[in-house]
Amino acid sequence: MSEPNNTGRGPGHDPSRYRLQRTERKKVPGKKRAAGAINTFSYIIFILGISLLLSAFIIVVGNDVLALVKPDKTYTLTVEKGESIGKVAGQLKDNGIIRYAWVFRLFASLKNTGALPEGEFTVNANMDYGQILSQMTTTTSYETVTLTIPEGYTLQQIAALLETSKVCTQEDFFNVANTYAFSHFMLKDVPMEENRLEGYLFPDTYQFYKASAKSLSDGDTYTGALNAINKMLNNFADKYTKSMRTLTEEKGLTIAEVINVASMVEKEANLPEERTTIAGVIYNRLNHSEKYPYLNVDATLLYVLGHKDKLTDADKQLDSPYNTYTSKGLPPTAICNPGLACIMAAIAPEEHNYYYYVYDPATESHIFSRTLEQHNAAVAKVNAE
């Protein structure tokens, strides 16, 4: 029979061994700190994930409230006496005017819209929530103006046209164009900088809402500028089809590169049949930049200088990234808003060995050359005429 164990720790207890074990266990809190750090990191990741989701949600909902990236679709809504905002919101959603009925109800509640008057109201998907409600609750109707944006117009020309037509001020136009984060696919990798939308406002005939006299007098036409620009961007997104996007990728190009080249073709080509040939010259020089480092395209320089009948040697020394006589490669942005034909020419250029061309006023066409010697002879011929 063994002696009683006063320690209460059972037979064979070795006090020194226990002390060693206790000493080793004192190191465990370090593991707890590591686990705590991991938990903190996971928490931060979780919070960031939630923040990103909320940001994406706000952008998506905001686009609907402001009528961005939406089709041009008209619907005549019939409101019965005493009909609720909720039912009206449902009709607007079902007919493709809005995407989120609950957001529209909330917006109307915040605006203290109250009961809607009975009657028929024509609304459009490119009207923002405020305009839709105003259309249904006031006697004021939004006046529209039909404008044609010609192929080859620049942002500056479009802004001036919109201001003259009382759609928005030029100041608000450029404020929106240079700072608003549009979510269209073709702008995905376009940096937020001056002239960033050059090339993407598709030339076409549009119907825009005119700003009210008060908005114009107050200089508050930001929403009008936003809606007008968005409408032109939507049109570009529709015109640049999936098959065009696929072909662009197969050619190893980006949409930005295509639009940049297309804008030069738009300004340089005088005859429709020359578009693909000129596009081919531009790509030939880009693809053989070691021998042809500069594009030497007059139109890029005229984008900065404005209209001139003929460039001087001094003009060609201008310090500007748009001067393709002194700056290598493509200019920073497109130099105008090209039409579909020039965009297609930039996607599928003619394959040839031309590296030069010069305009011949006598024939209103271009003379294309393979070598500098041939080009100089062509220039001499044109100058002698």
Side-chain angles (χ1 to χ4, degrees), residues 7 22 24 29 50 71 76 87 89 99 104 118-119 247 258 350 361:
T7 64
R22 288 179 60 190
E24 290 174 347
I50 293 296
T76 299
K87 188 172 181 180
R99 294 192 181 101
F104 187 85
E118 59 181 311
L247 185 57
V258 167
E350 180 184 327

Side-chain angles (χ1 to χ4, degrees), residues 75-103:
Y75 172 65
T76 299
L77 173 75
T78 301
V79 179
E80 305 292 343
K81 185 176 181 180
E83 196 162 26
S84 68
I85 283 287
K87 188 172 181 180
V88 168
Q91 290 184 58
L92 294 173
K93 180 180 182 299
D94 292 342
N95 289 278
I97 302 302
I98 63 173
R99 294 192 181 101
Y100 307 104
W102 68 271
V103 178

Side-chain angles (χ1 to χ4, degrees), residues 77-259:
L77 173 75
T78 301
V79 179
E80 305 292 343
K81 185 176 181 180
E83 196 162 26
S84 68
I85 283 287
K87 188 172 181 180
V88 168
Q91 290 184 58
L92 294 173
K93 180 180 182 299
D94 292 342
N95 289 278
I97 302 302
I98 63 173
R99 294 192 181 101
Y100 307 104
W102 68 271
V103 178
F104 187 85
R105 292 197 303 272
L106 177 61
F107 186 90
S109 175
L110 293 174
K111 285 283 188 178
N112 295 317
T113 301
L116 295 174
E118 59 181 311
E120 290 189 347
F121 306 94
T122 300
V123 293
N124 194 296
N126 58 37
M127 297 173 72
D128 61 45
Y129 281 14
Q131 290 174 322
I132 292 173
L133 284 172
S134 294
Q135 188 83 333
M136 293 189 295
T137 56
T138 68
T139 56
T140 303
S141 61
Y142 283 88
E143 186 180 356
T144 60
V145 58
T146 301
L147 297 177
T148 296
I149 309 298
E151 296 174 351
Y153 252 35
T154 63
L155 290 179
Q156 192 66 56
Q157 289 172 306
I158 294 174
L161 179 62
L162 292 178
E163 182 171 274
T164 301
S165 304
K166 299 182 179 180
V167 174
C168 63
T169 64
Q170 293 190 52
E171 182 180 358
D172 280 337
F173 176 91
F174 282 107
N175 187 17
V176 172
N178 293 332
T179 64
Y180 194 88
F182 292 99
S183 59
H184 299 75
F185 70 84
M186 65 279 190
L187 301 177
K188 180 181 176 183
D189 299 317
V190 176
M192 194 75 72
E193 59 187 15
E194 189 178 6
N195 300 328
R196 60 187 294 268
L197 297 187
E198 192 75 88
Y200 300 102
L201 302 189
F202 197 82
D204 209 338
T205 298
Y206 296 93
Q207 192 172 66
F208 297 115
Y209 291 103
K210 295 178 71 171
S212 66
K214 185 177 186 305
S215 294
L216 289 169
S217 63
D218 293 345
D220 182 18
T221 60
Y222 185 90
T223 300
L226 189 60
N227 290 336
I229 291 173
N230 185 69
K231 197 167 192 176
M232 289 181 274
L233 290 174
N234 285 346
N235 196 13
F236 181 102
D238 290 339
K239 293 294 192 298
Y240 209 104
T241 62
K242 187 176 180 180
S243 61
M244 290 168 66
R245 293 168 69 178
T246 300
L247 185 57
T248 299
E249 293 174 4
E250 290 174 352
K251 295 277 188 174
L253 299 167
T254 65
I255 295 176
E257 289 170 335
V258 167
I259 298 306

Side-chain angles (χ1 to χ4, degrees), residues 286-300:
L286 288 171
N287 293 332
H288 297 87
S289 58
E290 70 287 346
K291 188 174 181 180
Y292 305 96
Y294 304 105
L295 292 179
N296 294 350
V297 174
D298 290 357
T300 64

